[in-house]
Amino acid sequence: MDAAIQIDGVTKRFRNTLALDRVSFTVPRQEIFGLLGPNGAGKTTLMRILIGIFAPDEGCVNVYGDRSIRLKERIGYLPEDRGLYQKMKVYDLLHYCAAIKGVPRIEIDSRIEEGIKRIELTGELNQKIQELSKGNQQRIQLLIALLHKPDILVLDEPFTSLDPIGVDRMKQILNEEVERGATVIISTHRMEDAEQLCKSLTLIHRGRVIRHGTLNSIQQEEGQDRLIVEYQGDSKSIQSIPGVAIEDNQDHRLRLRLNGDASIPDVIRELSTRLDVYNIVKAAPTLHDIFVRLVGNQEDPS
């Protein structure tokens, strides 16, 4: 794998709290990569290590083979919490941020003009940040992350406060950045968006990696206990099959979940004796299903 970022054994503690515990994974070049996990999993801490706000207590981060992670010219960052200067005008804030990111002075105005059109906020340059809606402030934060044309984008909950049109435009921009050659890392609780955008992902929980790989490989690994059955007949007749639960049943199409003791060949034979079955396939679980199962299985019994 041609890695944009290699994270190797990263550990981070805050007093008595172990935020990250020997985290290791790679982020491939030029794709949208998902960093997923429940609240408190360590995602934001890891993102802040990536951009150099925190240093790891142990381990290292290589960005394009460079162990120096303070590469501000190469990384664009959109934080989960807004850090915009509320009383500044939009133009002044964008100009200031472009300058500190190293955009040549002669290019700043053209970058701002191009960017403000791209995020569809033309006409807002003379407004103060505090006069913008939350969704439009989120668009401004995205533009700040993009102004210096970074090689890597690190976006923490990028869809926060956006309406459906704003979400669609954000997704379009992220895909455009990948086409430009950038690597994009997103953290989001919106599993359907991660499933749509991300080719690869890492799922962390309590500071540890619990799954890493391509979305397809993880779905295949986690999807062995679900079947899609197309049939004719009375679906009530299968309710007594041991180890089988009906998750969905619409238009003569069943989605079945099998428990750990149920054998797929045995279940198929039982189905065939009770229904007129004309198609059975293994079902790829949604990313939402995978997230709930893996995180739920590691929760305390209490």
Side-chain angles (χ1 to χ4, degrees), residues 4 11-12 20 24 26 28 86 91 101-102 108 113 130 146 157 167 170 174 183 205 212 218 243 248 251 257 283 291:
T11 296
K12 184 65 180 177
L20 296 171
S24 298
T26 58
Q86 293 292 312
Y91 172 82
K101 281 292 187 178
I108 290 179
E113 181 180 358
Q130 64 187 10
L146 296 174
E157 296 295 340
V167 170
M170 173 80 80
L174 298 187
T183 298
H205 185 38
H212 172 74
I218 292 173
D248 190 44
D251 299 324
R257 185 181 74 252
F291 182 96

Side-chain angles (χ1 to χ4, degrees), residues 24-242:
S24 298
F25 62 88
T26 58
V27 178
R29 292 176 186 248
Q30 204 171 342
E31 68 175 58
I32 301 176
F33 180 90
L35 181 60
L36 309 178
N39 292 331
K43 305 184 300 295
T44 296
T45 297
L46 184 55
M47 286 186 158
R48 289 175 177 175
I49 287 174
L50 286 176
I51 66 171
I53 293 176
F54 296 150
D57 297 330
E58 301 169 21
C60 64
V61 176
N62 287 278
V63 179
Y64 293 116
D66 188 344
R67 287 200 177 193
S68 172
I69 57 175
R70 297 183 180 278
L71 303 172
K72 70 175 184 179
E73 294 83 7
R74 303 192 70 177
I75 297 179
Y77 178 50
L78 187 156
E80 180 179 9
D81 299 322
R82 292 188 188 88
L84 303 177
Y85 298 108
Q86 293 292 312
K87 295 187 182 299
M88 289 185 73
K89 291 185 177 181
V90 170
Y91 172 82
D92 294 335
L93 178 62
L94 294 174
H95 193 285
Y96 170 73
C97 291
I100 65 174
K101 281 292 187 178
V103 178
R105 183 175 295 274
I106 196 172
E107 296 181 20
I108 290 179
D109 281 347
S110 62
R111 296 267 187 106
I112 292 174
E113 181 180 358
E114 174 189 339
I116 210 75
K117 290 179 181 177
R118 192 178 184 196
I119 64 170
E120 300 177 349
L121 280 183
T122 304
E124 309 289 345
L125 286 175
N126 290 318
Q127 283 196 276
K128 291 183 178 180
I129 295 296
Q130 64 187 10
E131 296 171 346
L132 300 178
S133 68
K134 291 180 179 179
N136 285 346
Q137 290 188 36
Q138 187 74 347
R139 293 178 190 227
I140 293 296
Q141 288 210 144
L142 174 64
L143 179 52
I144 289 170
L146 296 174
L147 279 171
H148 60 299
K149 298 182 179 179
D151 297 322
I152 295 172
L153 278 167
V154 180
L155 311 177
D156 198 352
E157 296 295 340
F159 306 112
T160 300
S161 301
L162 295 176
D163 60 23
I165 294 174
V167 170
D168 287 346
R169 183 61 187 135
M170 173 80 80
K171 292 177 182 178
Q172 183 179 355
I173 289 172
L174 298 187
N175 283 312
E176 289 170 357
E177 287 299 300
V178 169
E179 291 176 7
R180 179 178 65 82
T183 298
V184 180
I185 302 172
I186 66 168
S187 173
T188 179
H189 288 107
R190 295 168 56 112
M191 294 297 108
E192 68 277 12
D193 293 326
E195 191 168 20
Q196 182 181 24
L197 288 170
C198 300
K199 183 177 179 181
S200 305
L201 59 91
T202 288
L203 177 58
I204 64 174
H205 185 38
R206 296 179 177 167
R208 293 185 176 182
V209 174
I210 60 174
R211 283 295 183 279
H212 172 74
T214 66
L215 175 60
N216 285 341
S217 67
I218 292 173
Q219 284 179 317
Q220 289 175 7
E221 181 182 350
E222 297 295 328
Q224 299 305 309
D225 63 348
R226 281 175 167 79
L227 297 175
I228 299 293
V229 180
E230 296 177 343
Y231 72 99
Q232 292 291 336
D234 184 2
S235 61
K236 292 180 181 179
S237 66
I238 72 167
Q239 291 178 349
S240 61
I241 298 178

